[in-house]
Amino acid sequence: QVQLVESGGGLVQAGGSLRLSCAASRNIYSMGWYREAPGKKRESVALATSGGATTYVESVKGRFTISRDNAKNTVYLQMNSLKPEDTGLYVCGGTDYYAGRIDYWGQGTQVTVSS
């Protein structure tokens, strides 16, 4: 079993920035960030494979950047120009198989963007 531990959430004003981190207990192929907001379905925000491929949901392109440090088994999400609609619980997920599949979940870190 893989443990995922997130950090870096918080409260920020619109237009501000936050950096999230997710450390895995071992290297896994695909790691990403998922967002849960009240009344909305969980959505995939950004994914990164160990080979360097990345994907983003349209609403964060140009504002968020996902990156990985494979030596540290860690994935980061740099979030700039934050908007109130970015508010939610950001959960780290991953898999050993293919991007988009989730076998391991973290506990999540809350991001709140005030207007």
Side-chain angles (χ1 to χ4, degrees):
Q1 187 69 358
V2 175
Q3 283 76 49
L4 302 176
V5 180
E6 303 103 328
S7 61
L11 173 64
V12 65
Q13 288 188 332
S17 298
L18 285 173
R19 188 190 193 212
L20 307 183
S21 299
C22 173
S25 54
R26 63 167 174 81
N27 190 45
I28 52 179
Y29 172 69
S30 175
M31 297 178 71
W33 291 95
Y34 298 79
R35 179 165 64 197
E36 300 177 359
K40 296 183 179 180
K41 292 177 59 177
R42 175 186 289 170
E43 67 173 345
S44 172
V45 176
L47 300 176
T49 70
S50 56
T54 58
T55 60
Y56 298 91
V57 68
E58 190 65 33
S59 62
V60 308
K61 287 181 179 178
R63 301 188 296 120
F64 291 10
T65 302
I66 190 169
S67 60
R68 286 185 62 154
D69 184 335
N70 290 328
K72 296 182 178 180
N73 302 331
T74 299
V75 66
Y76 306 95
L77 185 67
Q78 178 66 43
M79 304 186 294
N80 299 328
S81 302
L82 282 160
K83 303 175 180 180
E85 52 263 44
D86 294 319
T87 294
L89 181 68
Y90 284 70
V91 185
C92 179
T95 181
D96 293 307
Y97 296 98
Y98 54 86
R101 170 174 167 146
I102 303 298
D103 295 299
Y104 314 115
W105 288 107
Q107 294 298 309
T109 185
Q110 180 67 34
V111 171
T112 302
V113 184
S114 62
S115 57

